Amino acid sequence: MSWDMVLSQLHYIIPEESKHGTFVGRIAQDLGLDIGEINSRMLHIVSRDENEYFQVNLQNGILFVKETINRESLCPDTPFCIIPLQVIVDKPVQMYRVDVEIEDINDNTPVFSSSVTNLVISELIPSGSQFPLKGAIDPDLGTNSITHYELSASDHFSLDFQKYMNQIRSLKLVLKKTLDREKQSFHNLTLTAYDGGKPRLSGVTHLVIAVEDLNDNAPVFDQPFYQCSVTENAVKGTLVFKLNATDLDQGKNGEISYKFTNMEMEKLSKIFSLDKNTGEIRVKGEVDFETTKMYEIHVDAIDNGDHPMVGHCKVLVSVVDVNDNAPEMMVTSLSVPIPENSPKGTTVAIISVHDRDSGSNGKVSCKMSVIDLPFNVNSAFMGDFSLTVNGSLDRELKDQYEVVLIARDEGFPSLSVSKTLKIDISDINDNLPHFLQLVDTIFIMENNPPGSHVYTASAFDSDIGHNSFITYSIIDSSIDGIPISSYMSINPENGKMFASVSFDHEQVTFFQCHIKATDAGLPPLSSNMTLNIFINDINDNAPIFSPLYSGLKIKTLKSAQPGHLITKVSATDLDSGYNALMSYHIKDLTGKVPFVISQQTGEISLKRQIIESDNDEYRLVVVAQDHGDPVMTALTQVHVSLVELGEKVKIYHDDHIKDADEFSDANIYLVVAICVISTIFLITLIIFTILRWQKYRDEVNDLKENYKICSNTGGSWMYSQQTQYKVCSNSTQAKNDLIIFTQNNSQTAGNEENAAQQRPTYSSSYKVRKCVKMFLFINSS
């Protein structure tokens, strides 16, 4: 028996769940067979499946449904459900290929895996955080599958879902506003899934969200999204990917364990295993490329705190097929040069890698040949990669990088292609101008010419271009209320400093100048240095004698002995240091002057005894000389008269001169003020004493009235000088103490008896309300 070639091919489409006898097509007519011959030629249908879903009426050549077909059971994982049929007729033998496509209908309702989903969210989670949710399952396809989700109204939560190829790939709960467990500890929400069929079907699950506030740091993966691959038929235990999550907490709150999320399907957990301690994902079951080309794994990282917190990530595992084509690499975008301050994640280039292989053999990874460069290659989309900044860049250390990118497919054996990118680093203004010395000291001689150059400030900048162009300025300050700009100026381009004025050491001896170096970057950077400026003294001031020492007239005894102090002169110099050091001498052209002066103190004393040949009067010319260069002097005259014993001698000593110098107008004002204050105090004290004495007299008179103390005929009180009485009264007068004495006159016996009779007697039980003591010295009349 020989088989003829396939003459034609038919394609029929029928909806699923079609009942028995449903018309499919006029197969005999469509194949061009004679209806009268199909019975004699024994037309029959052969299906690859053991089930016979279709049958041909040999009377009219119509293909009809024999068994009800459920597309979801027949084709659970394929977007197109086609039942291939072989139509065979004999005499002669002919074979035809007929495909019957089973069209999906909306006969399945979206179903969540659980009617209640429990979530635990810490109140410390910031707004904007996302929490993956397990979506509903609808076996239908296309618009009949799930197309939309809705969340019940909530002030704190919203729903985010993303579509890819008109299918919802991820479902996340988004925190709109931070939670407060103290205000509301539970949130009950309703999540509804809708498909796009007609009629529209839906499924519901309830979200019960518990708010906790203990463990405040959730584990964080170094990337929220990972891509990796595994070869189909990989042996069990093959490492697929190693996850890495960190937790800022310490102790058990920082210990992390990994597990698949509840949204993972049962078949996924049968294929992969996850080590809860190391985060290693390994092959557990059979990986079949023809069955599934990609796996999406959601992993939770849970810390071991009393109130565990969860971090989430997603791992896409691509199944790799055999490989026979090398990848092709093309740089679609290259942004160079890049600034040296580019933050981590800045995209430098976008690389598109294409592999003509199909399936996972066309999936490629792109990496750098050298891993210690400050760049990283990240996978963006299928076949697209981005070269991003992954470290700090410093143009001053390195201004160009050569990055060798290697694109390698995931086939076996693996094939690769490389490409070299030259990446230039552009300069930014990230370096301050740097002074060679932060503090420097200069000395300027006083009386310098205005505008003279005194210093040159020098700074350098590691940047280039306009970022390294430096201008100099003087920071505003003042010296004794005068702006420093009145003293110094600076050339902003070369840093040369000039003295704007002629300095006088007697007015300014030292000041500081703060110099600022600013580059021309944007924003400009600057640094400062301190310049200590000392004004050196020159001998520009002559000594000056005080007017007290001008034309002194002194008388001294002719009988004075050698060494006798005549007087003392003193001169001052406004200069300082050695320029102000004074020395004194007397101009004596004849050498016969009997006086000598101390060079250091200016004291004039008798050099020798006076003899008869000496003059009676000498006019001494005293010279005060400083030690500057050139030497400057001052002159004064001292008239010395020699007198005999008995004449009034006037001698000026240093103490008198010092007193005259120090007794100024201010001293006079001080003495007058002290006298006025003392007078006022004395008057106040006298008035106070008089008032107090008057008060005491009034109190004594009151006592006389209260206690009936009788006086003698002369008006005196007769008491013993040695006897002291404490007089107590029930009076309401103010409390005082009164002690009464008499003068030291002898008393008669009769008087003593009368006085004894007049003394008051008090019982020990007498309650004293008021006590007065007073000392009175009263003379008897």
Side-chain angles (χ1 to χ4, degrees):
M1 180 181 298
S2 63
W3 292 85
D4 296 333
M5 296 179 60
V6 176
L7 299 180
S8 63
Q9 185 175 7
L10 299 180
H11 188 90
Y12 296 108
I13 300 176
I14 64 171
E16 68 172 323
E17 304 297 337
S18 296
K19 304 301 182 181
H20 174 77
T22 301
F23 173 80
V24 178
R26 300 182 183 276
I27 190 169
Q29 180 179 350
D30 294 334
L31 292 175
L33 300 176
D34 189 355
I35 296 178
E37 297 179 351
I38 60 176
N39 193 9
S40 60
R41 296 184 62 183
M42 301 178 63
L43 185 146
H44 61 280
I45 296 174
V46 177
S47 175
R48 295 180 183 178
D49 199 310
E50 296 179 357
N51 296 325
E52 294 182 0
Y53 296 105
F54 303 96
Q55 188 174 355
V56 178
N57 188 333
L58 299 180
Q59 301 299 325
N60 52 21
I62 294 175
L63 180 67
F64 62 91
V65 176
K66 182 180 180 182
E67 281 187 23
T68 302
I69 302 173
N70 188 313
R71 189 202 64 79
E72 286 74 21
S73 300
L74 184 62
C75 307
D77 297 322
T78 58
F80 298 96
C81 186
I82 298 176
I83 300 177
L85 302 176
Q86 290 181 346
V87 180
I88 301 174
V89 293
D90 299 328
K91 300 178 183 180
V93 175
Q94 291 180 318
M95 181 180 68
Y96 301 90
R97 170 69 179 270
V98 177
D99 290 339
V100 179
E101 181 179 349
I102 309 303
E103 188 179 38
D104 181 62
I105 65 173
N106 192 25
D107 59 341
N108 291 283
T109 300
V111 177
F112 288 91
S113 60
S114 175
S115 61
V116 177
T117 301
N118 294 306
L119 296 176
V120 178
I121 301 177
S122 173
E123 67 174 346
L124 298 177
I125 296 296
S127 59
S129 301
Q130 297 181 349
F131 307 92
L133 296 176
K134 184 176 181 180
I137 299 175
D138 192 338
D140 296 329
L141 296 176
T143 58
N144 293 329
S145 63
I146 298 173
T147 60
H148 185 68
Y149 286 93
E150 285 185 1
L151 185 68
S152 59
S154 173
D155 294 333
H156 292 84
F157 296 95
S158 63
L159 199 63
D160 179 38
F161 54 89
Q162 298 179 353
K163 290 186 178 182
Y164 180 72
M165 299 295 291
N166 294 325
Q167 292 186 358
I168 297 176
R169 295 295 185 183
S170 63
L171 181 64
K172 296 179 181 179
L173 184 67
V174 180
L175 183 62
K176 296 192 299 183
K177 187 170 70 174
T178 55
L179 302 175
D180 189 345
R181 188 192 62 82
E182 286 71 20
K183 293 182 178 179
Q184 187 174 356
S185 58
F186 286 93
H187 296 264
N188 294 310
L189 305 176
T190 301
L191 178 62
T192 306
Y194 295 94
D195 63 20
K198 294 182 180 180
R200 190 180 186 188
L201 302 178
S202 63
V204 175
T205 185
H206 296 282
L207 302 180
V208 178
I209 302 171
V211 182
E212 293 190 2
D213 62 345
L214 295 178
N215 195 11
D216 59 348
N217 285 289
V220 178
F221 288 90
D222 53 2
Q223 295 182 23
F225 174 80
Y226 300 92
Q227 249 188 336
C228 60
S229 60
V230 62
T231 306
E232 68 171 333
N233 300 323
V235 297
K236 293 183 179 180
T238 300
L239 178 64
V240 177
F241 195 81
K242 186 178 184 338
L243 299 172
N244 182 32
T246 57
D247 194 325
L248 297 178
D249 295 326
Q250 295 179 348
K252 66 178 183 179
N253 291 331
E255 298 173 359
I256 298 174
S257 59
Y258 302 87
K259 74 171 185 177
F260 292 125
T261 61
N262 294 329
M263 68 177 66
E264 301 300 333
M265 295 182 294
E266 293 184 2
K267 68 173 185 179
L268 190 62
S269 60
K270 294 179 180 179
I271 297 174
F272 298 100
S273 65
L274 175 62
D275 190 311
K276 68 177 183 178
N277 296 320
T278 64
E280 294 179 348
I281 301 176
R282 296 183 179 272
V283 175
K284 179 181 178 182
E286 182 180 358
V287 180
D288 188 358
F289 175 80
E290 285 72 22
T291 301
T292 304
K293 298 177 176 60
M294 180 178 290
Y295 294 93
E296 182 175 318
I297 303 175
H298 295 266
V299 179
D300 289 343
I302 307 172
D303 60 29
N304 294 331
D306 295 333
H307 301 277
M309 299 189 71
V310 182
H312 310 281
C313 78
K314 181 169 63 176
V315 182
L316 292 181
V317 182
S318 302
V319 182
V320 181
D321 201 2
V322 294
N323 184 35
D324 58 354
N325 289 285
E328 298 176 358
M329 182 185 298
M330 180 175 63
V331 179
T332 59
S333 176
L334 180 61
S335 178
V336 292
I338 60 173
E340 61 178 322
N341 66 336
S342 299
K344 286 186 179 182
T346 301
T347 301
V348 180
I350 297 177
I351 304 99
S352 179
V353 182
H354 174 68
D355 197 312
R356 288 179 294 175
D357 293 327
S358 60
S360 59
N361 288 329
K363 298 183 183 299
V364 293
S365 61
C366 185
K367 298 181 179 179
M368 297 185 300
S369 61
V370 180
I371 61 175
D372 60 348
L373 296 178
F375 301 98
N376 190 29
V377 178
N378 300 308
S379 177
F381 300 99
M382 187 63 65
D384 291 331
F385 298 88
S386 61
L387 179 65
T388 60
V389 176
N390 193 42
S392 60
L393 302 176
D394 192 345
R395 187 208 60 81
E396 287 72 35
L397 297 178
K398 191 169 184 179
D399 59 357
Q400 188 183 70
Y401 292 88
E402 285 192 359
V403 179
V404 179
L405 299 175
I406 300 176
R408 186 179 301 276
D409 60 29
E410 299 176 358
F412 183 79
S414 177
L415 301 176
S416 63
V417 65
S418 64
K419 193 174 187 66
T420 301
L421 300 180
K422 289 187 177 181
I423 302 174
D424 295 322
I425 310 300
S426 62
D427 183 58
I428 64 160
N429 193 27
D430 60 342
N431 288 283
L432 296 171
H434 180 71
F435 284 98
L436 297 178
Q437 290 180 294
L438 296 180
V439 180
D440 202 357
T441 302
I442 63 173
F443 298 87
I444 303 175
M445 299 300 295
E446 67 172 330
N447 298 332
N448 59 292
S452 58
H453 175 250
V454 296
Y455 185 74
T456 299
S458 179
F460 66 92
D461 198 312
S462 301
D463 296 321
I464 60 174
H466 65 277
N467 293 330
S468 63
F469 182 75
I470 298 175
T471 57
Y472 301 87
S473 62
I474 297 177
I475 299 176
D476 291 337
S477 61
S478 62
I479 303 173
D480 295 332
I482 301 175
I484 197 170
S485 58
S486 300
Y487 290 93
M488 305 295 294
S489 64
I490 190 169
N491 189 318
E493 296 182 358
N494 55 28
K496 289 186 176 181
M497 293 185 63
F498 303 91
S500 302
V501 297
S502 179
F503 290 105
D504 188 353
H505 174 81
E506 286 70 41
Q507 294 181 358
V508 178
T509 60
F510 167 79
F511 64 93
Q512 283 186 334
C513 179
H514 301 282
I515 304 172
K516 182 178 182 180
T518 306
D519 60 27
L522 188 66
L525 301 177
S526 62
S527 60
N528 302 333
M529 75 162 290
T530 300
L531 184 63
N532 296 319
I533 301 175
F534 290 88
I535 308 302
N536 285 347
D537 182 57
I538 64 174
N539 195 25
D540 59 345
N541 290 281
I544 299 174
F545 280 100
S546 172
L548 295 174
Y549 303 111
S550 299
L552 285 175
K553 294 182 179 180
I554 307 298
K555 292 181 179 181
T556 185
L557 295 175
K558 291 182 179 180
S559 60
Q561 297 299 315
H564 175 71
L565 178 63
I566 305 301
T567 186
K568 178 181 179 180
V569 295
S570 178
T572 59
D573 196 320
L574 296 179
D575 295 321
S576 62
Y578 202 65
N579 293 328
L581 182 62
M582 292 289 105
S583 63
Y584 304 91
H585 65 274
I586 299 174
K587 279 189 175 183
D588 183 10
L589 299 179
T590 62
K592 298 181 179 181
V593 175
F595 304 102
V596 68
I597 188 170
S598 174
Q599 291 187 359
Q600 288 76 27
T601 63
E603 293 179 346
I604 300 174
S605 59
L606 192 63
K607 181 170 61 173
R608 58 178 174 78
Q609 280 190 338
I610 303 300
I611 58 179
E612 293 181 358
S613 60
D614 289 333
N615 299 328
D616 292 337
E617 184 176 335
Y618 288 91
R619 180 174 295 178
L620 304 179
V621 178
V622 179
V623 180
Q625 175 181 302
D626 61 23
H627 287 70
D629 185 17
V631 175
M632 304 188 77
T633 61
L635 302 177
T636 188
Q637 291 186 355
V638 178
H639 299 271
V640 181
S641 300
L642 301 177
V643 297
E644 296 292 341
L645 184 63
E647 295 185 28
K648 186 177 181 181
V649 180
K650 181 180 180 182
I651 301 176
Y652 288 94
H653 295 288
D654 185 54
D655 294 338
H656 297 87
I657 298 173
K658 182 177 180 182
D659 293 340
D661 290 339
E662 293 180 353
F663 195 78
S664 61
D665 293 340
N667 300 71
I668 296 175
Y669 296 148
L670 181 60
V671 170
V672 172
I674 293 174
C675 293
V676 172
I677 294 173
S678 301
T679 302
I680 295 174
F681 175 74
L682 183 59
I683 294 173
T684 304
L685 185 60
I686 294 173
I687 294 173
F688 178 76
T689 304
I690 294 173
L691 293 176
R692 293 294 296 174
W693 177 252
Q694 184 65 34
K695 183 177 180 181
Y696 288 147
R697 290 189 60 189
D698 294 341
E699 290 176 353
V700 171
N701 293 331
D702 291 341
L703 288 173
K704 291 178 181 180
E705 295 293 332
N706 292 334
Y707 301 106
K708 306 296 183 178
I709 302 177
C710 298
S711 62
N712 58 10
T713 58
S716 300
W717 293 356
M718 308 301 293
Y719 291 91
S720 172
Q721 179 182 0
Q722 292 83 11
T723 306
Q724 175 180 324
Y725 297 94
K726 181 180 291 185
V727 182
C728 299
S729 171
N730 289 333
S731 171
T732 57
Q733 298 291 333
K735 291 183 179 181
N736 289 291
D737 292 329
L738 175 63
I739 301 176
I740 305 173
F741 296 91
T742 64
Q743 73 173 12
N744 197 15
N745 293 336
S746 61
Q747 304 291 334
T748 63
N751 291 337
E752 291 179 357
E753 292 177 359
N754 294 332
Q757 292 175 0
Q758 293 177 1
R759 293 171 187 168
T761 302
Y762 300 95
S763 65
S764 60
S765 61
Y766 184 82
K767 185 178 291 185
V768 178
R769 300 276 183 99
K770 179 178 181 181
C771 295
V772 179
K773 285 185 178 181
M774 183 175 182
F775 293 94
L776 295 178
F777 298 92
I778 304 173
N779 295 325
S780 60
S781 57

